[in-house]
Amino acid sequence: MAADYACLTIDPTNPDGPRIEVVFPAAYTTRLFKYAPVDFENLRSAKYVLENTQRIFFGVRAFNEGGWCFSGRPREWFLKERIVVPFPHDKVFVVYINPRMQVYECRAEFIAEDDPLAPIDWQTRFRGLTWKSIF
C-alpha cells in the first residue's frame, strides 16, 4: 500500500515562521498514478512549487472555510508521458491545499494580467493574497 508523502513548505498561517509539512495523501497520488499518469509525473512540479513558492492565496473554497493556493513556476513539466518540456511562460503551476494541510489538486493555469506569478482571475476566485515572494 502506498504511503502519504510529506513536503516542507511555507506555513500559510505564519509565513515568517518555520516551514511546515504539507501532505500528498496516498489516495490522491495513487489515483493519479492509476488514471492520470501525466498528472502523476507533474507531482514533481507541485513539490517544486511548494519548496519554491511565489504566491499564497487564501479562501479557496466557497463552501468550506480555509484552504490555500500556492503558486510558482517550475523550470519544466511533463507535457505528455515521457515528454518533459520547459514550463510555458503564459502559465503558472498551482497547488491547492485544504485546511488539514493536504494537497487535493495541482495543475497549470493561465497567468493573471496583473501578476505573472498568480493564476488568472485570482481576485475573484480567492478571498485574497496571504503572502508574496520578494525574490
Side-chain angles (χ1 to χ4, degrees), residues 21-135:
E21 283 189 350
V22 168
V23 173
F24 289 84
Y28 174 63
T29 59
T30 301
R31 185 176 71 246
L32 293 180
F33 180 78
K34 288 181 179 180
Y35 304 110
V38 174
D39 292 339
F40 176 79
E41 294 296 343
N42 280 322
L43 290 174
R44 296 174 190 172
S45 296
K47 180 180 183 290
Y48 180 87
V49 167
L50 290 175
E51 292 174 343
N52 301 279
T53 303
Q54 296 296 309
R55 307 283 186 272
I56 302 174
F57 303 93
F58 71 95
V60 172
R61 294 184 167 186
F63 302 108
N64 295 327
E65 281 298 317
W68 294 273
C69 172
F70 285 59
S71 70
R73 294 189 42 82
R75 293 181 186 100
E76 59 188 23
W77 73 323
F78 280 79
L79 185 62
K80 295 181 180 181
E81 283 189 73
R82 297 184 302 274
I83 298 177
V84 179
V85 298
F87 194 75
H89 296 288
D90 63 341
K91 293 188 178 179
V92 65
F93 201 87
V94 294
V95 180
Y96 292 98
I97 299 171
N98 67 25
R100 295 183 310 272
M101 303 314 247
Q102 295 177 331
V103 173
Y104 65 88
E105 178 68 39
C106 51
R107 62 180 179 249
E109 295 186 4
F110 286 103
I111 59 173
E113 290 182 18
D114 65 330
D115 186 349
L117 293 169
I120 194 167
D121 296 330
W122 69 269
Q123 300 92 334
T124 58
R125 295 171 56 199
F126 312 124
R127 287 200 191 135
L129 178 66
T130 295
W131 181 85
K132 182 177 182 177
S133 173
I134 59 170
F135 299 106

